Amino acid sequence: MAKSKSKPVCKVVGIDHISIRVRDYEKSKAFYGRLFAFLGFEISDEYPQTIGWTNGRTRYWIAPAEGRKTYRIGDVGLHHYAFELRSRRDVDALQAFLEKEGVRIVDPADEYYEDYYAVFFLDPDGIKLEGMKYGELTAKRKRKALKKNK
């Protein structure tokens, strides 16, 4: 029996936001405020017990945890959240910022897969975050090959 390709009923066009719960709201608010200012985000909305930042495409929200107050990588749920950066140079700049801020870096800026450059770090609750850039070297090689063939 042949499968026919049909149009999806609805289609996701992007990820609008992520919302996480934090143990110490004020501490996390300060951490994310500094991080997001560095990454070019602004506060989108703020309420008494929740705040969200945006860069115009992505939104990231925090609010106080209502239940269990601990997080451990490997538990059911979020493993990590990756911010795609413009360049490898931006990944290095993020790492320098994190070091200056005393943020725990769990995997320093490096090539983790072919043409995948990233730094991994933890928020105040141990939630793993990543700044990454992939495809930059491949794009440079393609541009160079196109120039050469002209």
Side-chain angles (χ1 to χ4, degrees), residues 33-45:
R34 291 187 306 274
L35 175 66
F36 286 138
F38 180 80
L39 293 175
F41 283 62
E42 297 176 348
I43 294 172
S44 61
D45 294 287

Side-chain angles (χ1 to χ4, degrees), residues 140-150:
K140 283 180 183 178
R141 282 193 296 270
K142 285 181 182 178
R143 284 192 303 272
K144 192 174 182 179
L146 283 173
K147 248 184 180 176
K148 189 178 178 181
N149 292 331
K150 282 187 175 184

Side-chain angles (χ1 to χ4, degrees), residues 82-142:
F83 298 98
E84 183 178 2
L85 303 178
R86 294 175 301 190
S87 67
R88 289 167 172 250
R89 186 177 301 165
D90 283 356
V91 173
D92 291 334
L94 174 58
Q95 178 165 313
F97 168 81
L98 297 169
E99 288 169 345
K100 186 177 127 215
E101 291 288 317
V103 174
R104 183 166 171 221
I105 296 171
V106 291
D107 294 302
D110 202 353
E111 188 92 11
Y112 286 93
Y113 305 99
E114 184 179 339
D115 204 5
Y116 190 101
Y117 192 71
V119 59
F120 298 86
F121 57 101
L122 302 180
D123 86 344
D125 290 307
I127 295 174
K128 192 175 188 181
L129 302 169
E130 172 186 1
M132 48 72 66
K133 176 61 181 172
Y134 66 90
E136 185 174 335
L137 299 180
T138 301
K140 283 180 183 178
R141 282 193 296 270
K142 285 181 182 178

Side-chain angles (χ1 to χ4, degrees), residues 72-88:
R72 199 180 78 210
I73 293 173
D75 284 351
V76 169
L78 179 73
H79 179 270
H80 73 278
Y81 189 83
F83 298 98
E84 183 178 2
L85 303 178
R86 294 175 301 190
S87 67
R88 289 167 172 250

